[in-house]
Amino acid sequence: MAIKIMCAKNSGEYEKCFDIQKEVFAIEQGIPEKLIADDKSIFATYVYASIDEKKVGAARYRNTKMGFKLERFAVLKKYRKKGVGKLLVQFIEQKIGCDKTIYLHAQDPVVGFYSNIGYQKVGDKFLEAGIAHWKMIKIW
């Protein structure tokens, strides 16, 4: 099972990223779809993971005043715990570079995942879309 990570380059690939995120966030987690709809004022780079040509994971990253923010990591349930999420993070980190500030808002249940790949909690727990999150930064 080879996992391939790519940047989305056309409307079909962007749409598939959104479909994966809707399935994970709206359907699985019950987050209102209007909260996960893409904000057209945000410029972000989208990436996706595929296995045997099937798109199974998606994420995005963007440059903010505080550094590069990793966002909307979503892996279809059937493909979790197979390294997809880790490869998505590593791919984005390579694109950004290790001399940059990288941070994310991790849902409470996945803090351990991000801790294992070099992220550290900063600040206090907060709610985002009604779900407990932690701000985490990459420690190189």
Side-chain angles (χ1 to χ4, degrees):
M1 172 181 74
I3 302 167
K4 186 173 163 183
I5 310 294
M6 302 285 294
C7 288
K9 293 183 176 112
N10 60 52
S11 60
E13 290 173 348
Y14 287 112
E15 193 60 40
K16 191 58 186 172
C17 289
F18 300 141
D19 290 345
I20 292 167
Q21 291 164 340
K22 280 187 239 176
E23 183 169 334
V24 172
F25 299 130
I27 296 169
E28 269 187 55
Q29 297 181 345
I31 296 171
E33 203 167 310
K34 67 180 181 184
L35 294 180
I36 59 171
D38 198 31
D39 182 341
K40 301 299 182 201
S41 69
I42 291 177
F43 176 77
T45 300
Y46 284 80
V47 299
Y48 64 88
S50 61
I51 297 175
D52 299 327
E53 305 300 317
K54 177 178 174 51
K55 291 175 181 59
V56 301
R60 76 179 190 187
Y61 66 97
R62 60 190 174 100
N63 197 357
T64 73
K65 290 181 249 174
M66 295 180 287
F68 285 88
K69 185 177 183 195
L70 281 54
E71 301 176 307
R72 299 192 180 175
F73 281 81
V75 176
L76 298 176
K77 198 172 206 169
K78 178 180 175 183
Y79 298 94
R80 292 182 195 149
K81 301 194 186 289
K82 298 182 185 307
V84 174
K86 183 177 181 178
L87 288 174
L88 281 167
V89 173
Q90 290 172 337
F91 180 87
I92 293 171
E93 288 174 347
Q94 287 175 345
K95 291 281 185 192
I96 295 170
C98 65
D99 60 337
K100 307 286 191 300
T101 299
I102 301 175
Y103 72 102
L104 53 87
H105 293 170
Q107 291 183 3
D108 202 36
V110 294
V111 164
F113 165 78
Y114 290 110
S115 293
N116 287 338
I117 55 174
Y119 288 79
Q120 182 177 41
K121 292 192 291 188
V122 294
D124 297 322
K125 191 185 307 189
F126 61 94
L127 289 179
E128 192 169 270
I131 297 172
H133 282 73
W134 291 89
K135 180 176 180 180
M136 300 186 80
I137 59 168
K138 178 69 177 195
I139 305 300
W140 295 98

